[in-house]
């Protein structure tokens, strides 16, 4: 704001040119990293850009390059911890690269509705990132038109995808495996599992990792209890498990389910971890502040969002080899909610 109380207009490319003593065409060449600019001139222009706080216009860049510097994220949810953190990572990485981000919410898994939403996003130009953690997201990823730049954020695939499938994922199978092994190592005969919905009809990676750890330990394999995404689903599952005195350890498909399970156990008069150990998944921010604090598996969803944009950016700019890959190594975070079974 200037001395008259009016908001100062953003610096333009001509303001930068005047401050650096060059033409606005020269400023444009510097912005677009053209090799014909002398180093001394480039330094003078960059100093003027910094001094004036000049920001490149995404529209101007699109006109200059012939490409739309924008991405659209297709997702069925914007509030659950994993989804929201992925969106945060995409936005952070896109902003740093001067890309705009739009969000298109898939309100239904109906095939026609998904196809229409995908087509609207494709018509906007740029590239697409699809969060395929649910049936709507999986259908959206399958409905993307051939030739449209797209990256999928997916559940851990059963086998490595080909290069024609630019996907990123976290290693959910390994994460569930390590969490189950931790509970078994405390002396529990087996570990019960409250599952989140899977994006496909096959066994999810989290369920697979849990089952693998039980099998290797020669432990009984109880039937998974199907939950939802939120605490209410965990509470309903926890009420069922609390009735069985043989249940001494429960792994939950996410921390919100674990929150509901903890409440149900409390209502049933079963102490945690004295009678039942509980572990979650994701390490959501509230997990460390529950009573008892929650043992969980930390996954870097924000980093996953950044990686998704980086992969798509390589496709859009034709500057990187597109190789699908898992992102980050899951980390077991042991807190108060897990302990040995009752004597």
């Amino acid at each position: 704001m200037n001395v008259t109380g009016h908001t100062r207009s953003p610096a333009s490319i001509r303001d930068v040119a005047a401050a650096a003593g060059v033409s606005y065409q020269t400023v444009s060449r510097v912005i677009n990293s053209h090799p014909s600019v002398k180093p001394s001139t480039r330094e003078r222009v960059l100093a003027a850009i910094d001094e004036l706080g000049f920001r490149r216009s995404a529209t101007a860049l699109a006109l200059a390059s012939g490409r739309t510097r924008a991405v659209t994220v297709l997702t069925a949810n914007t509030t659950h911890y994993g989804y929201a953190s992925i969106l945060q990572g995409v936005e952070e990485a896109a902003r740093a690269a001067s890309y705009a981000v739009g969000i298109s919410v898939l309100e239904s898994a109906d095939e026609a509705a998904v196809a229409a939403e995908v087509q609207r996003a494709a018509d906007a130009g740029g590239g697409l990132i699809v969060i395929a953690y649910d049936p709507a997201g999986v259908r959206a990823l399958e409905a993307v038109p051939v030739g449209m730049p797209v990256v999928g954020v997916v559940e851990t695939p059963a086998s490595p995808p080909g290069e024609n499938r630019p996907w990123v994922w976290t290693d959910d199978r390994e994460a569930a495996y390590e969490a189950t092994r931790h509970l078994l190592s405390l002396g529990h005969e087996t570990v019960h599992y409250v599952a989140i919905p899977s994006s496909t009809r096959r066994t999810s990676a989290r369920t697979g990792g849990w089952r693998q750890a039980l099998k290797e330990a020669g432990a009984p394999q109880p039937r998974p209890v199907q939950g939802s995404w939120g605490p209410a689903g965990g509470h309903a599952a926890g009420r069922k498990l609390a009735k069985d005195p043989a249940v001494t350890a429960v792994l939950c498909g996410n921390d919100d389910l674990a929150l509901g399970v903890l409440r149900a156990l409390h209502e049933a008069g079963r102490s945690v971890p004295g009678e039942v150990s509980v572990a979650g998944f994701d390490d959501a921010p509230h997990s460390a502040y529950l009573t008892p604090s929650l043992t969980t598996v930390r996954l870097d969803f924000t980093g996953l969002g950044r990686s998704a944009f980086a992969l798509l950016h390589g496709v859009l700019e034709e500057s990187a080899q597109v190789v699908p890959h898992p992102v980050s190594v899951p980390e077991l975070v042991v807190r108060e909610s897990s302990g040995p079974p009752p004597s």
Side-chain angles (χ1 to χ4, degrees), residues 259-327:
L259 179 62
V261 169
L262 288 173
R263 179 65 190 180
L265 292 170
H266 172 75
E267 291 171 351
R270 302 195 65 182
S271 66
V272 178
E275 294 181 64
V276 184
S277 288
V278 177
F281 221 103
D282 297 345
D283 195 26
H286 63 262
S287 303
Y289 302 98
L290 299 174
T291 302
S293 57
L294 184 65
T295 293
T296 185
V297 183
R298 179 176 297 151
L299 298 175
D300 184 8
F301 286 111
T302 305
L304 189 63
R306 294 192 196 100
S307 294
F309 176 79
L311 196 59
L312 181 60
H313 191 229
V315 175
L316 294 171
E317 301 290 339
E318 300 178 351
S319 60
Q321 183 181 9
V322 178
V323 180
H325 61 287
V327 177

Side-chain angles (χ1 to χ4, degrees), residues 67-83:
R67 291 192 299 266
T68 301
R69 297 180 68 89
V71 299
T72 300
V73 183
L74 284 157
T75 177
N77 193 288
T78 60
T79 59
H80 289 316
Y81 174 67
Y83 290 80

